């Protein structure tokens, strides 16, 4: 078996025939091969093969001499070459189907060999997509709030010691975390840890996202993964790893075919990701003896940017002349004017119709300022803003395309520049003025209650913030409301402090730069397409925004039905935040959400019979009340009342606790007129129940909201007269029988009887008198009692009838001893001032403005004067004063 070899970071075989065969394979497949294909690539600068990856060679069965190197004196190496090959049959060694490569070794997940911390890794098939481009296919079983994936222990057997190990968990806030799905990218995690152990790749130091995931290590390797989390390339030969040191920064261009790798010792390499070839070696693009801290591609395919530990920024212009690739660098910002900690170019390739796409803009974040510079078509400073001076934190900067509503009610899509330091975030709209000049318009400034470590946009309304305690916080920008938080401390976040201190280049950085760089994690917390990818020292995590329906499904699976229903209704009324995937017209979105919400409500109703009875009866009653009232509330809000009176009632009818909770839960919705058409059987049960618990005031308030056709008139009227529910009596007479006179006559009979007893009126009798005064006031004004309006065709008749009752010479059931005008005398005796006020207000109604109305007014005044003088309790001046 031939020894595996590596050239320019790509595994190869040291035989001429194998090289020919593989070169043919590369030509036929355009350089893209499967995970088990061995690839041989010649150097662009010389013709000999580069040295092996030292540890990779040690894993092969027969080491060979390295071509292109002088023979060494290493006796151990010579002895190995002279040894007799092992007899496979003697030791019962099975034959290999194919010769292993570095990629195949890393892709072979050896879970049983992992340490306790490495157990974050798991079967690749649980993740059909990596959190790149479009993560939508992650199985729901992978939802977890733990650093260890919930499904990771389901498909692999583990030793007893591992099954008993403590699990580190993500701390939830009080509300369940539904916005973000937190998963461990187990295949990537396993392969990074495998590379650390098997080829001495070192620990992860930096990461970049694009069409692939590229992760750099402390020993100079770069492992590139595809969207299935399989190793695509393992890059980094011995020479470049030794000369470059630790990988400090990476970036992939928008086309996904170029990878720039920056090292702690200053080296920059460019790889072609279609075939894994090293196509550019850029050792002197920036200041000597400085680490590469930041690399970014721009929208221009031949232009990238590099920031070093001296605080300077260089543009990298890539050229190709007669097949020869080269790179020309130019310093566009010197660290002597303020050290640049990080920068972000404005990328508009996906919105090419934006007028700003003709410019190349870059936002620099220095220790003291934010500076926006135009690089193309000419170099020019466009904007500066002073930052809060906090020596312990780094400045943060990012761009996002946002829909902005103008003062003219127009909506435009412009990039928004956001930058932060310590606890303050500022937002500026970037646009062109009438003269085609780039302008930065302040939008708002937000102050949070914590110090910031990292900041990214998840979508146009949502920010992902990481604080210095490694807590990820989701912030709604418009409302400034914190929507969710996740503790990331257990991920063991990778920091780039050694690169910012310049340890690999002699520590030649300023004290301020080194101090602020203690918390540098620009290259380990990244965002791509609504996903946050977190690079830990032993694991890689994806926190992905769930689609709106996934959030609802997740809450239901976690049995947080109330939160799911509340979120669903917020989506329905367009008040939800951090919404993803809900598209279409306003009506179509409401219809889709309504159907989903009704489905969740139906499932929640199905749980009513499953509620456990508890020893504490009041607690059992409360549990039923909470569930039923929630369902009734949202069914009513959605104007879907059938389940309230059918399914829920059927579930509750046979259980005294649930039936009681059900009937009592209807009360607030009856009072708000949300349940006006209840079935008669439920109305009858409602009246009976409130009679049994003697809650008559609430019952009276509800009766006047019932549809009169649903009431059992005999049952209800008997109860109302017995308990003095006068409002209900008036309502039933008015609405059920169209009779406005009888309730007044009946109630006045009771009041006359009480007053004629010549004893102090009881509280209930006072209430009766006041209700009668309010009733005649409403009738004379054309209003229904206790609320609403009298039908227009009945107003005039009701006003005339009520006026005639007040001024009637005798009552309907008068006796020989009854005084004249009994009703009017009773009102004067009960509360003269309020009665006269009622009459005074009624005289302003249109009915009393006609000739007939004026005669009626005069008549009642005459009667009042007669009665008041006859009673002898009023002087003429007093009478005139009351009347006026």
């Amino acid at each position: 078996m031939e020894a595996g070899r590596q050239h320019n970071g790509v595994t190869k075989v040291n035989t001429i025939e194998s090289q020919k065969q593989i070169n043919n394979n590369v030509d036929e497949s355009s350089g893209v091969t499967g995970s088990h294909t061995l690839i041989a690539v010649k150097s662009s600068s010389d013709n000999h093969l580069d040295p092996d990856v030292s540890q990779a060679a040690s894993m092969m069965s027969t080491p060979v001499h390295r071509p292109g190197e002088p023979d060494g004196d290493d006796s151990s190496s010579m002895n190995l070459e002279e040894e007799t090959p092992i007899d496979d049959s003697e030791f019962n060694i099975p034959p290999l189907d194919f010769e292993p490569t570095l990629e195949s070794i890393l892709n072979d997940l050896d879970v049983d060999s992992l340490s306790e911390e490495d157990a974050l890794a798991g079967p690749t098939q649980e993740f059909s997509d990596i959190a790149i481009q479009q993560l939508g296919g992650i199985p729901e079983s992978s939802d977890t709030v733990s650093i260890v994936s919930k499904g990771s222990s389901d498909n692999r057997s583990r030793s007893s010691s591992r099954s008993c190990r403590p699990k580190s968990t993500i701390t939830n806030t009080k509300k369940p975390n539904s916005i973000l799905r937190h998963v461990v990218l187990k295949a990537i995690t396993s392969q990074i840890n495998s590379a650390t152990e098997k080829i001495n790749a070192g620990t992860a130091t930096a990461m970049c996202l694009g069409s692939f995931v590229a992760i750099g290590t402390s020993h100079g390797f770069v492992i590139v993964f595809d969207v299935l989390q399989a190793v695509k390339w393992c890059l980094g030969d011995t020479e470049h790893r030794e000369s470059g040191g630790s990988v400090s920064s990476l970036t992939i261009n928008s086309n996904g075919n170029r990878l720039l790798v920056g090292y702690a010792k200053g080296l920059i390499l460019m790889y072609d990701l279609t075939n894994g070839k090293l196509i550019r070696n850029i050792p002197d693009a920036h200041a000597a003896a400085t680490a590469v801290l930041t690399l970014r591609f721009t929208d221009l395919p031949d232009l990238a940017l590099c920031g070093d530990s001296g605080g300077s920024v260089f543009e990298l212009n890539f050229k190709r002349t007669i097949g020869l690739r080269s790179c020309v660098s130019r310093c566009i910002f010197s660290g002597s004017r303020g050290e640049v900690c990080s920068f972000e170019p404005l990328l508009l390739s996906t919105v090419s119709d934006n007028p700003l796409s003709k410019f190349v803009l870059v936002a620099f974040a220095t220790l003291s300022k934010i500076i926006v510079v135009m690089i193309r078509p000419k170099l020019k400073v466009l904007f500066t803003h002073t930052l809060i001076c906090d020596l312990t934190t780094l400045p943060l900067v990012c761009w996002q395309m946002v829909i902005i509503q103008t003062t003219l009610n127009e909506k435009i899509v412009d990039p928004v520049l956001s930058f932060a330091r310590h606890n303050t975030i500022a937002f500026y709209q970037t646009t062109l003025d009438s003269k085609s000049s780039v302008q930065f318009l302040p939008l708002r400034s937000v102050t949070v209650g914590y110090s910031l470590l990292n900041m990214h946009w998840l979508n146009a309304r949502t920010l992902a913030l990481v604080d210095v305690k490694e807590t990820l916080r989701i912030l709604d920008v418009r409302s400034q409301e914190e929507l969710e938080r996740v503790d990331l401390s257990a991920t063991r976040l990778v920091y780039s402090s050694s690169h910012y201190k310049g340890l690999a280049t002699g520590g030649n950085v300023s004290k301020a730069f080194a101090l602020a760089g203690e918390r540098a994690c620009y290259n380990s917390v990244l965002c791509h397409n609504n996903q946050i990818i977190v690079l830990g020292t032993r694991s890689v995590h994806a926190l992905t925004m769930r689609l709106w329906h996934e959030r609802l499904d997740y809450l239901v699976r976690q049995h947080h039905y109330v939160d799911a229903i509340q979120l669903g209704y917020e989506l329905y009324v367009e008040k939800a935040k951090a919404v993803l995937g809900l598209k279409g017209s306003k009506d179509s979105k409401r219809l889709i959400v309504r159907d989903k919400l009704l489905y969740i409500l139906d499932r929640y109703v199905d749980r009513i019979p499953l509620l456990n009875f508890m020893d504490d009866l009041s607690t059992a009653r409360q549990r039923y009340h909470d569930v039923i009232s929630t369902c009734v509330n949202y069914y009513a809000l959605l104007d879907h009342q059938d389940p309230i009176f059918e399914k829920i009632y059927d579930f509750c009818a046979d259980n005294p606790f649930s039936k009681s909770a059900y009937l009592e839960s209807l009360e607030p919705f009856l009072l708000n007129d949300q349940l006006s058409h209840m079935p008669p059987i439920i109305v009858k049960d409602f009246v009976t129940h409130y009679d049994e618990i003697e809650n008559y005031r609430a019952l009276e308030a509800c009766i006047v909201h019932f549809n009169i056709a649903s009431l059992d008139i005999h049952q209800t009227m008997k109860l109302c007269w017995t308990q003095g529910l006068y409002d209900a009596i008036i309502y039933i007479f008015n609405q059920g029988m169209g009779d406005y006179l009888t309730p007044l006559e009946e109630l006045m009979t009771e009041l006359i009887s009480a007053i004629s007893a010549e004893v102090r009126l009881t509280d209930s009798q006072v209430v009766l008198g006041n209700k009668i005064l309010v009733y005649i006031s409403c009738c004379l004004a054309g209003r229904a009692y206790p609320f609403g309006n009298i039908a227009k065709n009945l107003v005039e008749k009701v006003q005339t009838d009520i006026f005639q009752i007040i001024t009637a010479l005798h009552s309907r059931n008068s006796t020989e001893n009854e005084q004249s005008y009994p009703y009017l005398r009773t009102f004067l005796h009960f509360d003269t001032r309020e009665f006269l006020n009622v009459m005074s207000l009624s005289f302003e109604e249109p009915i009393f403005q006609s000739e007939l109305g004026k005669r009626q007014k005069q008549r009642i005044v005459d009667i009042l004067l007669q009665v008041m003088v006859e009673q002898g309790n009023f002087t003429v001046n007093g009478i005139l004063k009351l009347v006026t």
Side-chain angles (χ1 to χ4, degrees):
M1 182 170 62
E2 296 296 331
R5 317 241 334 154
Q6 190 182 45
H7 173 64
N8 290 340
V10 181
T11 305
K12 59 188 178 181
V13 178
N14 185 28
T15 65
I16 296 176
E17 293 181 359
S18 298
Q19 290 177 22
K20 291 180 179 178
Q21 179 62 41
I22 294 167
N23 284 334
N24 291 335
N25 292 340
V26 171
D27 293 338
E28 292 173 0
S29 61
S30 301
V32 181
T33 63
S35 59
H36 301 312
T37 303
L38 306 179
I39 302 177
V41 181
K42 289 191 176 183
S43 170
S44 59
S45 57
D46 53 48
N47 294 323
H48 73 275
L49 297 177
D50 288 332
D52 303 339
V53 177
S54 57
Q55 282 300 109
S58 68
M59 290 185 285
M60 306 302 176
S61 61
T62 310
V64 296
H65 175 65
R66 298 174 180 175
E69 292 183 356
D71 293 340
D73 298 330
D74 191 337
S75 58
S76 62
S77 174
M78 296 297 295
N79 290 336
L80 284 173
E81 290 184 4
E82 294 173 359
E83 286 181 356
T84 303
I86 295 176
D87 187 348
D88 292 351
S89 59
E90 177 183 355
F91 292 95
N92 196 25
I93 299 175
L96 290 176
D97 295 332
F98 60 87
E99 194 167 355
T101 68
L102 184 56
E103 285 87 346
S104 67
I105 292 171
L106 293 179
N107 277 319
D108 183 17
L109 302 181
D110 185 9
V111 177
D112 292 333
S113 67
L114 300 180
S115 65
E116 291 183 2
E117 289 180 337
D118 296 334
L120 293 168
T124 307
Q125 61 268 24
E126 284 194 18
F127 298 90
S128 61
D129 288 329
I130 198 170
I132 305 299
Q133 288 184 330
Q134 190 173 4
L135 192 74
I138 291 184
E140 291 298 325
S141 62
S142 300
D143 285 340
T144 177
V145 292
S146 169
I147 296 303
V148 180
S149 176
K150 187 169 68 174
S152 62
S153 61
D154 297 338
N155 301 320
R156 300 272 180 141
S157 60
R158 304 209 186 274
S159 65
S160 59
S161 62
R162 279 182 187 157
S163 63
C164 297
R165 73 181 189 277
K167 297 181 179 180
S168 46
T169 59
I170 296 294
T171 302
N172 273 338
T173 56
K174 291 182 180 180
K175 286 187 176 182
N177 285 351
S178 68
I179 297 175
L180 295 178
R181 175 197 288 118
H182 182 184
V183 296
V184 180
L185 300 181
K186 293 187 289 186
I188 291 180
T189 294
S190 176
Q191 290 159 152
I192 290 294
N193 291 331
S194 178
T196 299
E197 295 178 359
K198 294 182 179 179
I199 63 172
N200 193 26
T203 59
T205 56
M207 172 179 63
C208 71
L209 309 175
S211 301
F212 301 92
V213 176
I215 297 178
T217 72
S218 57
H219 290 177
F221 285 92
V222 178
I223 304 177
V224 182
F225 300 89
D226 63 17
V227 295
L228 298 177
Q229 298 190 70
V231 174
K232 181 69 174 176
W233 309 111
C234 184
L235 309 173
D237 57 51
T238 303
E239 178 185 352
H240 292 136
R241 289 190 286 107
E242 290 178 353
S243 62
S246 169
V247 175
S248 55
S249 184
L250 305 128
T251 186
I252 297 174
N253 67 353
S254 58
N255 293 330
N257 59 0
R258 293 291 183 268
L259 169 68
L260 276 178
V261 183
Y263 291 85
K265 293 182 181 179
L267 178 65
I268 300 176
L269 302 178
M270 177 184 281
Y271 288 93
D272 184 342
L273 290 180
T274 62
N275 53 29
K277 286 184 179 181
L278 173 64
I279 57 176
R280 283 187 175 89
N281 183 341
I282 313 171
D284 54 358
H286 58 98
T290 57
V292 178
L293 298 183
T294 309
L295 289 171
R296 295 289 185 271
F297 277 104
T298 67
D299 282 334
L300 299 179
D302 58 350
L303 179 63
L305 301 171
C306 164
D308 63 21
S309 57
S312 299
V313 179
F314 296 79
E315 67 174 39
L316 307 177
N317 294 281
F318 305 115
K319 301 181 181 297
R320 186 171 183 176
T321 306
I322 316 179
L324 297 178
R325 292 186 174 92
S326 62
C327 176
V328 177
S329 66
R330 177 178 66 142
C331 181
I332 58 175
F333 191 91
S334 173
S336 61
R337 294 184 293 174
E339 293 157 304
V340 174
C341 304
S342 180
F343 58 83
E344 289 294 337
L346 174 58
L347 302 178
L348 297 173
S349 59
T350 58
V351 284
S352 56
D353 57 338
N354 190 286
L356 288 169
S357 59
K358 61 184 178 181
F359 304 106
V360 176
L361 306 183
V362 184
F364 298 140
T366 74
L367 289 173
S368 59
K369 290 182 179 180
I370 294 294
I371 304 172
V372 180
V373 176
M374 179 195 297
I375 298 179
R376 297 288 187 275
K378 62 179 180 180
L379 191 62
K380 181 181 179 181
V381 175
L382 302 176
F383 172 80
T384 62
H385 189 282
T386 303
L387 294 173
I388 294 176
C389 184
D390 181 359
L391 299 180
T392 62
T393 58
L394 284 169
L396 308 170
V397 62
C398 53
W399 300 88
Q400 174 66 32
M401 298 301 294
V402 175
I403 299 175
I404 301 173
Q405 187 165 343
T406 66
T407 54
L408 300 177
N409 255 353
E410 297 177 347
K411 292 184 178 180
I412 58 174
V413 180
D414 270 339
V416 168
L417 170 67
S418 54
F419 52 86
R421 191 173 189 185
H422 184 40
N423 64 348
T424 302
I425 311 170
F427 302 89
Y428 280 78
Q429 177 186 354
T430 309
T431 187
L432 291 181
D433 62 14
S434 57
K435 298 180 180 180
S436 296
S437 299
V438 181
Q439 297 293 318
F440 291 85
L441 309 177
L443 296 176
R444 67 175 58 189
S445 179
V446 176
T447 300
V448 295
Y450 39 86
S451 189
L452 292 169
L453 189 68
N454 198 285
M455 175 178 70
H456 289 286
W457 287 88
L458 279 172
N459 60 27
R461 289 190 55 173
T462 312
L463 271 179
L465 307 173
V466 180
D467 64 20
V468 293
K469 294 183 179 180
E470 298 185 356
T471 300
L472 174 64
R473 301 167 185 266
I474 305 302
L475 183 74
D476 181 76
V477 175
R478 293 185 185 177
S479 66
Q480 302 180 29
E481 176 187 354
E482 183 178 299
L483 306 178
E484 193 165 288
R485 67 175 67 175
V486 181
D487 183 5
L488 297 179
S489 59
T491 63
R492 299 171 65 184
L493 186 63
V494 170
Y495 290 92
S496 305
S497 53
S498 62
H499 304 147
Y500 277 77
K501 291 178 181 179
L503 298 184
T505 55
N508 54 340
V509 299
S510 69
K511 292 182 179 180
F513 204 67
L515 178 62
E518 285 285 353
R519 299 184 181 277
C521 58
Y522 294 123
N523 296 316
S524 50
V525 180
L526 304 177
C527 182
H528 189 83
N529 289 353
N530 314 118
Q531 304 145 43
I532 297 292
I533 310 298
V534 178
L535 180 64
T537 56
R538 303 288 292 181
S539 56
V540 183
H541 300 254
L543 294 103
T544 308
M545 284 186 70
R546 290 185 175 94
L547 299 175
W548 68 272
H549 57 86
E550 292 175 338
R551 291 175 63 182
L552 296 175
D553 292 340
Y554 172 75
L555 290 171
V556 169
R557 287 198 309 274
Q558 300 299 318
H559 302 296
H560 290 288
Y561 282 92
V562 176
D563 294 293
I565 294 168
Q566 181 179 353
L567 173 60
Y569 188 71
E570 289 175 355
L571 289 164
Y572 180 71
V573 297
E574 298 185 317
K575 291 185 178 180
K577 300 176 177 66
V579 180
L580 187 65
L582 186 57
K583 299 179 180 179
S585 65
K586 183 177 180 179
D587 291 339
S588 65
K589 289 190 292 186
R590 285 172 65 90
L591 182 61
I592 293 170
V593 173
R594 185 177 185 271
D595 290 343
K596 181 72 172 179
L597 184 52
L598 289 175
Y599 169 76
I600 296 173
L601 280 168
D602 288 344
R603 288 192 58 182
Y604 195 34
V605 171
D606 290 338
R607 295 178 60 84
I608 293 176
L610 305 178
L611 292 175
N612 296 325
F613 279 88
M614 308 183 72
D615 294 336
D616 184 354
L617 296 182
S618 63
T619 304
R621 188 188 300 272
Q622 185 62 43
R623 291 189 65 183
Y624 277 113
H625 181 272
D626 291 343
V627 174
I628 295 169
S629 61
T630 298
C631 295
V632 172
N633 179 31
Y634 286 98
Y635 276 128
L637 290 172
L638 295 173
D639 194 24
H640 187 69
Q641 299 183 12
D642 290 347
I644 300 175
F645 306 131
E646 296 173 2
K647 190 174 183 179
I648 300 179
Y649 179 74
D650 291 342
F651 280 154
C652 299
D654 298 329
N655 185 309
F657 294 103
S658 59
K659 185 174 183 179
S660 172
Y662 170 76
L663 294 172
E664 292 173 18
S665 69
L666 301 179
E667 180 185 330
F669 307 104
L670 288 168
L671 298 177
N672 290 328
D673 289 323
Q674 293 176 277
L675 302 175
S676 55
H677 300 285
M678 289 175 59
I681 186 174
I682 299 179
V683 174
K684 185 174 182 177
D685 286 347
F686 185 91
V687 174
T688 302
H689 174 69
Y690 273 70
D691 184 22
E692 290 173 352
I693 64 175
E694 299 182 354
N695 190 355
Y696 297 113
R697 297 278 74 85
L699 176 59
E700 181 182 34
C702 290
I703 288 176
V704 298
H705 290 271
F706 281 130
N707 186 322
I708 203 70
S710 301
L711 284 168
D712 183 329
I713 301 297
H714 175 72
Q715 173 204 29
T716 308
M717 289 297 286
K718 181 179 178 181
L719 176 62
C720 291
W721 282 115
T722 302
Q723 301 300 330
L725 307 184
Y726 304 119
D727 284 354
I729 292 171
I730 295 172
Y731 174 76
I732 293 172
F733 269 110
N734 291 173
Q735 302 299 321
M737 308 172 192
D739 186 349
Y740 289 83
L741 297 182
T742 301
L744 178 57
E745 291 176 334
E746 296 287 346
L747 297 179
M748 283 300 298
T749 300
E750 288 202 11
L751 185 59
I752 291 171
S753 176
I755 290 177
S756 63
E758 297 184 352
V759 296
R760 183 181 180 86
L761 297 179
T762 63
D763 291 342
S764 62
Q765 291 168 341
V766 172
V767 169
L768 172 60
N770 288 329
K771 286 181 181 292
I772 294 174
L773 284 173
V774 175
Y775 177 62
I776 65 172
S777 175
C778 289
C779 290
L780 291 173
R783 296 192 303 272
Y785 180 86
F787 52 82
N789 295 298
I790 300 173
K792 291 183 178 180
N793 61 324
L794 296 177
V795 170
E796 187 172 342
K797 181 178 184 305
V798 170
Q799 290 173 330
T800 302
D801 291 345
I802 294 298
F803 185 81
Q804 290 176 352
I805 287 289
I806 295 173
T807 58
L809 184 60
H810 290 286
S811 62
R812 179 180 297 180
N813 300 316
S814 62
T815 63
E816 294 181 359
N817 299 327
E818 183 182 76
Q819 292 181 302
S820 60
Y821 307 112
Y823 298 132
L824 195 146
R825 290 178 186 274
T826 300
F827 285 129
L828 290 174
H829 191 283
F830 176 73
D831 193 329
T832 307
R833 181 182 296 274
E834 288 305 317
F835 173 66
L836 293 176
N837 284 338
V838 168
M839 299 309 299
S840 178
L841 290 173
S842 66
F843 289 161
E844 297 177 4
E845 294 298 320
I847 191 175
F848 294 106
Q849 306 306 315
S850 64
E851 289 298 324
L852 177 60
K854 291 177 180 179
R855 289 198 297 267
Q856 288 178 326
K857 281 196 295 183
Q858 186 60 50
R859 180 169 181 267
I860 197 169
V861 170
D862 294 341
I863 295 172
L864 283 172
L865 289 173
Q866 177 185 337
V867 171
M868 296 171 78
V869 171
E870 285 180 359
Q871 286 187 204
N873 298 328
F874 303 90
T875 64
V876 175
N877 291 334
I879 293 172
L880 293 175
K881 184 176 180 180
L882 287 172
V883 173
T884 56

